[in-house]
Amino acid sequence: FSGKHSQQTLSIPTLIMRLFVLSLCCLQLALLASAVKEDEELFDWQEFHLTIENPQAAATVRHYVNARDFLVANENHLGYTESVVVPPQEVIGFMAFLGNLQVKYEILEKDVGGMLLRARLENKLSARAFNNDPSTYFAQSSEIYTWMEGLVSQNSGVASLVSIGRSYEGRNLRVLRLNMNGGSNKPVIFIDAAIHAREWLAPATLNYIVKQLINDYKAGNSEVRTLMNKFDWHFMPVVNPDGYDYTFRSSSTRYWRKTRKPYRFAYGADPNRNFDFMFGGPGTSNNPSSDIYHGPNAFSEPETKALSDYLTGIRNQLQQGMYISFHTYGQWWLTPPGYTRSLPSDHTEMMRVGNAAAAAIRAVSGQNFRVGQPANVGLYEAAGGSYDWVKYRLGVKYSFTPELRPYYNGSLSGFSPSAREIPNSGKEIYQAVKAVVKEIM
């Protein structure tokens, strides 16, 4: 730029800098707007259950939903049979859109916010009725840790609580260890939960099992005493405490799935796509706004890094034992690998042990749990998961991911069961865990 107007004309570097500052302001406004929406209670939001019969319509629906502020039960399923939660001002337009595409739908819930409010009130009543025992209600991470501290004080010498790191927001990552008859080189049974934030029944079920194991051991139950004397038991109730606690904030955050580390215009990565085995493979996304965003690199999330470091540290003992990661929902007992449909060389053995879990569950509750690799039993391929990493990187033969009750129907409500389901889930999964551990003794 030159000439008599040069004093009024912005130089290119100055213009670029001002555009950069403007973009930062827009980002701050976008994040502020998002923060306001976090307190929305979803009253009169409606849940649509879609059945889509061709890939072209599926792609059109995906584009439409992703361009709007809708909630989706499972991004891997969107476009075939899935549930979408729609704000009231968008309902009529969405119905017209589906009608034009000739997509079949059913309205499962006409007031998602009201349904979630009733569930929260019921959960509070359950907490009060059972003296804030996190094996009987859906508790936040700090409440679970306080309860476990009490277990340690009541069972000194055999129970300990270990801090293995900090989450992105600074929450403690803790593992409860039960080593009933001492010894430092016993085979390890490691069970974790709440890798995905919204899956409340998973940590509650884990807590139920911890309490039952301790009570049955003290009562002299011969089966439990054998299992607990043979193995060193490690429990991590909340792998993703930032995301998990965030789901307690309001109805609009209830179905949050990822961590809470910020990425560009979005928050969080899917921790169960963030492990260093087949990272970035099938069933993942490189879009930070996606529920299945794998993160910028393996172990980018401090939570997965801390868990992987801890498991690596007990690798030799874990190879002689078992890794189990509780998820919800759908009633599957999943065997690895999750990233492919191809059967592994030890498929028959993994099915044998998994079927023992399913049989134990049927004997207790009559519920049917399907056994096998995710993509072969009605789910989808998903790479970068914890149980694949444990099996194929750490060399732990027996690695499983149970998807707890209820039976999968594509609805978001499956992630928010009544607190009354905790003992039902706890009883059946307790028997399943004992069954699979007995199979490897």
Side-chain angles (χ1 to χ4, degrees):
F1 296 91
S2 60
K4 65 179 181 180
H5 296 297
S6 61
Q7 296 301 315
Q8 289 85 28
T9 305
L10 294 176
S11 66
I12 290 177
T14 301
L15 181 61
I16 292 173
M17 178 57 70
R18 290 192 177 183
L19 288 172
F20 176 70
V21 171
L22 179 61
S23 68
L24 286 179
C25 291
C26 291
L27 173 59
Q28 289 175 337
L29 287 171
L31 291 176
L32 180 60
S34 175
V36 171
K37 291 178 183 176
E38 288 173 351
D39 293 322
E40 189 170 346
E41 290 295 351
L42 304 186
F43 292 124
D44 297 322
W45 285 52
Q46 297 191 25
E47 183 174 9
F48 286 71
H49 187 261
L50 314 181
T51 301
I52 307 175
E53 297 176 349
N54 69 78
Q56 184 176 357
T60 304
V61 170
R62 182 184 293 272
H63 178 77
Y64 186 97
V65 169
N66 288 343
R68 289 161 176 80
D69 193 20
F70 295 177
L71 298 176
V72 178
N74 195 316
E75 190 172 330
N76 279 296
H77 278 174
L78 177 60
Y80 297 98
T81 302
E82 195 50 88
S83 286
V84 178
V85 179
V86 181
Q89 68 274 16
E90 296 270 10
V91 167
I92 293 176
F94 191 51
M95 286 178 172
F97 166 76
L98 296 176
N100 289 335
L101 276 182
Q102 296 184 322
V103 169
K104 298 175 183 177
Y105 68 87
E106 176 188 2
I107 297 178
L108 298 181
E109 177 61 57
K110 291 190 175 182
D111 183 7
V112 171
M115 179 265 291
L116 291 175
L117 177 60
R118 290 190 297 273
R120 289 208 304 272
L121 292 174
E122 183 181 77
N123 191 47
K124 289 181 180 180
L125 291 174
S126 184
R128 292 172 184 170
F130 294 99
N131 298 316
N132 295 318
D133 178 347
S135 68
T136 62
Y137 79 104
F138 301 119
Q140 296 190 54
S141 64
S142 60
E143 297 172 297
I144 294 173
Y145 293 145
T146 298
W147 175 72
M148 286 190 163
E149 287 169 359
L151 292 180
V152 170
S153 66
Q154 296 162 20
N155 300 276
S156 58
V158 297
S160 59
L161 201 54
V162 181
S163 177
I164 68 169
R166 294 275 177 178
S167 69
Y168 175 78
E169 294 180 348
R171 290 178 175 83
N172 219 343
L173 304 172
R174 308 181 82 176
V175 173
L176 176 71
R177 181 182 177 188
L178 299 178
N179 190 0
M180 292 315 212
N181 63 350
S184 58
N185 293 310
K186 293 162 62 176
V188 165
I189 306 298
F190 188 98
I191 304 177
D192 67 39
I195 284 183
H196 287 145
R198 63 191 178 187
E199 299 172 5
W200 288 7
L201 189 60
T205 298
L206 182 149
N207 296 337
Y208 181 99
I209 290 172
V210 166
K211 182 178 178 180
Q212 202 63 42
L213 282 171
I214 292 173
N215 289 345
D216 285 351
Y217 189 92
K218 288 181 174 180
N221 182 296
S222 60
E223 176 190 44
V224 171
R225 293 186 73 89
T226 298
L227 293 175
M228 299 200 74
N229 288 334
K230 168 72 174 176
F231 296 95
D232 192 351
W233 294 72
H234 298 226
F235 300 91
M236 188 173 186
V238 186
V239 175
N240 176 17
D242 293 351
Y244 177 72
D245 286 353
Y246 180 68
T247 63
F248 285 82
R249 180 167 176 168
S250 72
S251 294
S252 61
T253 66
R254 174 63 186 86
Y255 296 118
W256 186 259
R257 171 182 167 97
K258 301 187 291 180
T259 63
R260 292 296 297 163
K261 186 177 179 180
Y263 287 106
R264 290 186 285 180
F265 294 96
Y267 284 93
D270 181 340
N272 212 39
R273 305 292 187 273
N274 193 238
F275 283 77
D276 190 19
F277 182 75
M278 300 300 294
F279 177 81
T284 73
S285 172
N286 60 8
N287 176 7
S289 296
S290 169
D291 262 357
I292 52 175
Y293 175 52
H294 49 55
N297 52 268
F299 300 132
S300 60
E301 309 311 286
E303 299 85 357
T304 58
K305 183 64 169 62
L307 175 56
S308 67
D309 287 346
Y310 183 79
L311 294 176
T312 300
I314 59 171
R315 177 177 187 168
N316 292 338
Q317 294 96 328
L318 194 56
Q319 287 175 344
Q320 304 168 56
M322 183 177 291
Y323 172 80
I324 305 175
S325 185
F326 289 166
H327 286 251
T328 71
Y329 71 100
Q331 295 186 191
W332 286 283
W333 194 277
L334 299 177
T335 63
Y339 72 93
T340 180
R341 295 177 181 272
S342 300
L343 301 182
S345 59
D346 62 351
H347 171 72
T348 300
E349 172 63 7
M350 296 301 290
M351 290 294 292
R352 181 188 70 83
V353 177
N355 283 326
I361 291 168
R362 281 195 302 273
V364 174
S365 63
Q367 294 296 313
N368 179 43
F369 273 60
R370 293 152 287 180
V371 181
Q373 292 165 249
N376 294 332
V377 290
L379 275 169
Y380 43 79
E381 295 175 343
S386 67
Y387 85 143
D388 275 2
W389 178 82
V390 167
K391 185 174 179 74
Y392 297 108
R393 287 281 190 252
L394 295 188
V396 178
K397 182 177 182 66
Y398 298 104
S399 180
F400 298 102
T401 293
E403 293 277 0
L404 310 183
R405 61 168 57 205
Y407 201 84
Y408 190 77
N409 67 356
S411 170
L412 274 167
S413 63
F415 293 111
S416 49
S418 164
R420 294 192 300 271
E421 287 297 306
I422 296 173
N424 297 328
S425 177
K427 289 172 186 176
E428 64 192 14
I429 301 302
Y430 179 49
Q431 296 302 324
V433 167
K434 290 190 296 179
V436 293
V437 173
K438 283 191 292 184
E439 289 296 323
I440 70 168
M441 288 182 65

